[in-house]
């Protein structure tokens, strides 16, 4: 049984928590969690008084689907259309409600997979899912092995050199601490001075954390002790044991775990884009012609309500965008 599967039977008060902090930059600190209205497939029951929320983590997802739009499908490059399917990359080591393994430890489920299937529907192609490591997502798109990636990827100026992006969600990060931690808030760089903190390697949150730490050291404050773990479950164990005092990561899975596990807290949120609006986007290979029909497919899904239905299903409706944009301003380049 996976780490995520062990969590799901004890979900509590998710919709109330979601209302507090699933928005974009400037949203007050709070918690949020993945939800679904698919009660028919082995759901986890919510305790009385929580609004009856039920979480479906089974492989039988009964996903929201959409119809093909011929005019948009015709814009898919022939080199991709001739393969007969869209190949999408995901990192199944993630956590709800983004992309994670269902109770069978095989099927990929979550808001990212649901949206990928919807996009493929509009483009008139079946979706071929590939489960791989975070680092390989970028390599596989670059090599042409994957046509697209939906995996909580933030738009950055450096990534735009190699990839094209079609946005579909705002990017928000959260600071997680253990329930017993004396830390009550983290809202600025000075708040992490001298702390043992953890962050995912190669992520945008790592860039922000390194910037904060550099600011502190320049100001004469203590450096943070930054620790890296490959799996979120290891981060949680480190928080519980005290080896790590705070973890910076994507808000949705952290808030889900806070609501489900009950042994940690969120003490601050910030934009995943740092000084610019953080935006999550579908990633495709730069210049291969796929980003335009993907962008139009997302626009169609926003207009017909399918997009909102999926985000609401997973409790992320407060992270919705009114429109999808191609290659908007991203996280600034890092000095070399």
């Amino acid at each position: 049984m996976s780490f995520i599967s062990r969590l799901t039977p004890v979900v509590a008060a998710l919709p109330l928590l979601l209302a507090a902090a699933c928005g974009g930059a400037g949203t007050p600190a709070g918690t949020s969690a993945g939800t679904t209205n698919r009660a028919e497939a082995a759901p986890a029951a919510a305790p009385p008084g929580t609004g009856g929320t039920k979480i479906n983590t089974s492989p039988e997802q009964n996903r929201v689907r959409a119809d093909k739009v011929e005019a948009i499908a015709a814009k898919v490059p022939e080199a991709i259309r001739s393969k007969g399917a869209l190949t999408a990359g995901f990192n199944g080591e993630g956590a709800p409600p983004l992309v994670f393994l269902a109770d069978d430890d095989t099927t990929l489920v979550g808001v990212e997979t649901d949206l990928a299937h919807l996009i493929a529907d509009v483009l008139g192609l079946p979706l071929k899912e590939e489960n791989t490591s975070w680092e390989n997502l970028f390599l596989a798109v670059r090599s042409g092995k994957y046509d697209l990636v939906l995996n909580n990827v933030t738009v950055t100026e450096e990534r735009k050199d190699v990839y094209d992006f079609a946005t579909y969600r705002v990017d928000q990060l959260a600071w997680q601490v253990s329930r017993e931690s004396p830390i009550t808030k983290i809202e600025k760089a000075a708040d992490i001075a001298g702390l043992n903190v953890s962050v995912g390697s190669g992520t945008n949150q790592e860039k922000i954390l390194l910037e904060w730490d550099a600011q502190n050291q320049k100001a004469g404050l203590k450096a943070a002790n930054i620790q890296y773990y490959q799996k979120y479950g290891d981060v949680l164990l480190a928080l519980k044991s005290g080896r790590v005092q705070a973890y910076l990561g994507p808000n949705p899975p952290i808030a889900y775990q806070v609501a489900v596990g009950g042994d940690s807290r969120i003490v601050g949120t910030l934009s995943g884009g740092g000084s610019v609006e953080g935006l999550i986007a579908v990633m495709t290979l730069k210049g291969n012609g796929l980003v335009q029909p993907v962008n139009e497919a997302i626009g169609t899904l926003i207009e017909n309500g399918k997009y909102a239905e999926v985000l609401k299903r997973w409790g992320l409706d407060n992270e919705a965008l009114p429109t999808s944009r191609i290659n908007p301003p991203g996280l600034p380049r890092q000095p070399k």
Side-chain angles (χ1 to χ4, degrees):
M1 180 178 289
S2 70
F3 168 75
I4 297 304
S5 298
R6 291 196 296 269
L7 293 180
T8 50
V10 290
V11 175
L14 302 183
L16 298 178
L17 295 172
L18 276 164
C22 254
T27 303
T31 52
S32 64
T35 66
T36 176
N37 56 9
R38 297 293 192 254
E40 67 275 13
T50 64
T53 300
K54 298 179 179 180
I55 306 300
N56 176 10
T57 59
S58 77
E60 294 79 29
Q61 286 290 298
N62 190 19
R63 287 188 170 99
V64 178
R65 304 310 296 253
D67 295 327
K68 177 181 179 180
V69 178
E70 294 289 350
I72 300 176
K75 297 181 182 181
V76 176
E78 176 60 27
I80 295 174
R81 189 167 59 244
S82 63
K83 294 188 297 184
L86 276 179
T87 302
F90 304 96
N91 176 214
E93 293 293 335
L98 298 175
V99 55
F100 60 104
L101 295 179
D103 297 336
D104 62 358
D105 281 335
T106 300
T107 306
L108 292 168
V109 298
V111 67
E112 309 287 54
T113 57
D114 279 7
L115 289 174
H117 278 279
L118 276 177
I119 291 169
D121 286 346
V122 175
L123 299 182
L125 292 168
L127 189 75
K128 179 183 178 183
E129 300 174 352
E130 293 280 348
N131 187 6
T132 189
S133 67
W134 167 259
E135 294 81 5
N136 194 53
L137 292 174
F138 298 87
L139 296 173
V141 171
R142 192 167 188 169
S143 71
K145 180 180 179 181
Y146 296 166
D147 300 315
L148 46 80
V149 162
L150 282 85
N151 207 102
N152 207 48
V153 178
T154 304
V155 181
T156 75
E157 289 303 306
E158 290 172 334
R159 288 173 179 168
K160 283 162 59 179
D161 291 341
V162 181
Y163 310 100
D164 283 326
F165 294 93
T167 61
Y168 64 91
R169 191 161 49 80
V170 297
D171 179 16
Q172 184 165 253
L173 305 177
W175 281 104
Q176 182 180 15
V177 301
S178 69
R179 183 176 56 191
E180 295 78 17
S181 173
I183 299 172
T184 58
K185 65 178 180 180
I186 297 178
E187 58 185 13
K188 59 185 183 299
D191 294 335
I192 65 164
L195 295 184
N196 295 329
V197 296
S198 183
V199 71
S201 175
T203 61
N204 294 306
Q205 51 265 29
E206 181 193 25
K207 293 182 179 181
I208 293 173
L209 179 58
L210 293 175
E211 288 175 357
W212 281 25
D213 190 48
Q215 291 175 28
N216 285 340
Q217 294 186 55
K218 186 176 181 180
L221 300 176
K222 290 184 178 180
N225 177 23
I226 302 175
Q227 301 180 30
Y228 296 93
Y229 297 90
Q230 289 188 341
K231 297 182 179 181
Y232 184 44
D234 294 333
V235 172
L236 297 176
L237 290 174
L239 283 171
K240 188 173 183 178
S241 69
R243 295 195 307 273
V244 167
Q245 294 167 278
Y247 167 68
L248 179 63
N251 177 70
I254 289 178
Y256 182 97
Q257 204 287 324
V258 167
V260 170
D263 55 359
S264 62
R265 296 180 286 114
I266 288 178
V267 293
T269 58
L270 65 154
S271 169
S275 60
V276 301
E277 181 185 23
L279 295 169
I280 302 297
V282 179
M283 182 172 71
T284 67
L285 181 62
K286 190 172 186 67
N288 73 349
L290 184 58
V291 72
Q292 183 67 43
V294 167
N295 165 259
E296 293 183 22
I298 297 171
T300 295
L301 295 167
I302 290 173
E303 291 177 3
N304 66 22
K306 300 291 186 178
Y307 166 82
E309 188 176 351
V310 166
L311 263 64
K312 183 177 181 180
R313 178 186 184 210
W314 292 102
L316 294 181
D317 42 319
N318 284 349
E319 295 193 3
L321 290 173
T323 58
S324 175
R325 299 162 61 192
I326 294 176
N327 296 331
L331 195 69
R333 295 178 184 275
Q334 299 302 298
K336 297 181 179 179

